Amino acid sequence: MNVSYDFTGRVAVVTGAARGVGRELVAQLVAAGAQVVATDRDEAGLAETCRPHGNVVTAVAADIRSEEDTAMVVETARTSYGRLDFCINNAAVAPHASLLDERPDVWDTVFAVNCRGTFLMTRAAARLLIEQGEGGRIVNFSSGVSNRGSAGAAAYASSRAATESFSRVAAIELAPHDILVNCVSPGLIDTQPKPLPPSMASSLAARVPALPLARPGQPAEVGHLVLWLCSDGADYVTGSLCHVDGGAGVGSRWNGVVVDEDVRYDWVTGTSRP
């Protein structure tokens, strides 16, 4: 696959870096020449993410719900590498429960991580970027469930919709500083636990064949979009919601056959029927 960028001299913060898409983002940014501050609550997973990259990646164990921790993460970029260019707010939690069983404390935690955390990281990063006076990029994360019903996802879907709205406001307010803010909305990405729990395996077996591309996405494919948004190729892109979902948001997989049995419009098509 021929996808490459040159981020030599650039510095990025990646949240939710202990696994999955976050780990892949760290690897892709390093491969492109960037230095990275990787952060997560999971210290063991974070260490595993950072181990292959030596001193071009700095691990910071932090909780993005905390104003003090988010400030510390951004300050680490300054003290370790001298600047900040990209803030990628990948961290999120997605526990599922039926609406009638949803616990308010779980709801509050989902919003605290997914919304408050994104807000605090965006604000902290923006303050440093404005001080530097050279612009920058902020990439937030949403999900396809933000605009469609999905049983069990009341808290998660609502938090992702809120993140999209927040990102649009941030894009407007930060544009005068040449700070571009966009939101990435992944579909079904292959980050599930292995082996799959039985109920998840059953659900995915039914869901995957109906996807337009009939396969899950890979973390690397999310990374390619994020890196593009951070690149010079996206200089005129801000306030956008960018889907990387294999077409799931627009429909289901086509079987290759179109059948028109509606006789009302035969006069339009000139169709003659027996």
Side-chain angles (χ1 to χ4, degrees), residues 140-193:
N140 297 328
F141 270 69
S142 182
S143 166
V145 298
S146 68
N147 59 9
R148 67 173 184 269
S150 180
Y156 180 62
S158 300
S159 73
R160 299 289 73 180
T163 301
E164 291 176 14
S165 294
F166 167 74
S167 298
R168 287 188 286 269
V169 172
I172 292 295
E173 293 196 15
L174 297 178
H177 304 284
D178 199 26
I179 299 170
L180 311 184
V181 183
N182 292 289
C183 200
V184 169
S185 180
L188 177 61
I189 307 299
D190 187 13
T191 57
Q192 290 79 22

Side-chain angles (χ1 to χ4, degrees), residues 21-267:
V21 170
R23 179 173 293 174
E24 176 66 23
L25 287 167
V26 171
Q28 287 195 16
L29 285 160
V30 170
Q35 297 168 302
V36 181
V37 175
T39 186
D40 203 291
R41 294 177 68 250
D42 177 0
E43 295 188 46
L46 187 59
E48 187 175 343
T49 294
C50 298
R51 190 174 296 116
H53 305 302
N55 60 8
V56 299
V57 176
T58 297
V60 179
D63 187 337
I64 61 169
R65 296 174 296 176
S66 162
E67 187 172 5
E68 292 75 20
D69 279 15
T70 53
M72 173 188 66
V73 169
V74 171
E75 182 60 21
T76 299
R78 187 210 302 261
T79 57
S80 296
Y81 302 121
R83 61 180 296 108
L84 178 65
D85 297 280
F86 316 136
C87 179
I88 303 170
N89 293 316
N90 163 71
V93 294
H96 280 61
S98 70
L99 175 62
L100 299 182
D101 293 329
E102 186 75 73
R103 288 173 19 215
D105 62 313
V106 173
W107 176 283
D108 290 346
T109 299
V110 170
F111 268 75
V113 175
N114 298 359
C115 299
R116 176 184 168 92
T118 297
F119 152 65
L120 289 173
M121 283 301 309
T122 297
R123 188 181 67 172
R127 285 173 171 171
L128 178 54
L129 293 171
I130 291 169
E131 180 184 324
Q132 292 174 171
E134 299 175 21
R137 309 295 171 90
I138 297 173
V139 181
N140 297 328
F141 270 69
S142 182
S143 166
V145 298
S146 68
N147 59 9
R148 67 173 184 269
S150 180
Y156 180 62
S158 300
S159 73
R160 299 289 73 180
T163 301
E164 291 176 14
S165 294
F166 167 74
S167 298
R168 287 188 286 269
V169 172
I172 292 295
E173 293 196 15
L174 297 178
H177 304 284
D178 199 26
I179 299 170
L180 311 184
V181 183
N182 292 289
C183 200
V184 169
S185 180
L188 177 61
I189 307 299
D190 187 13
T191 57
Q192 290 79 22
K194 307 291 191 302
L196 287 170
S199 62
M200 188 177 290
S202 175
S203 173
L204 289 177
R207 182 180 173 191
V208 169
L211 298 174
L213 295 184
R215 68 171 178 84
Q218 297 301 313
E221 293 172 310
V222 180
H224 296 158
L225 175 56
V226 173
L227 265 63
W228 178 75
L229 287 170
C230 291
S231 76
D232 293 345
D235 277 352
Y236 202 58
V237 180
T238 195
S240 292
L241 176 62
C242 303
H243 297 277
V244 53
D245 64 358
V250 297
S252 301
R253 188 167 179 83
W254 183 46
N255 66 5
V257 178
V258 174
V259 178
D260 182 5
E261 296 179 331
D262 192 334
V263 300
R264 292 174 299 170
Y265 305 113
D266 285 354
W267 69 272

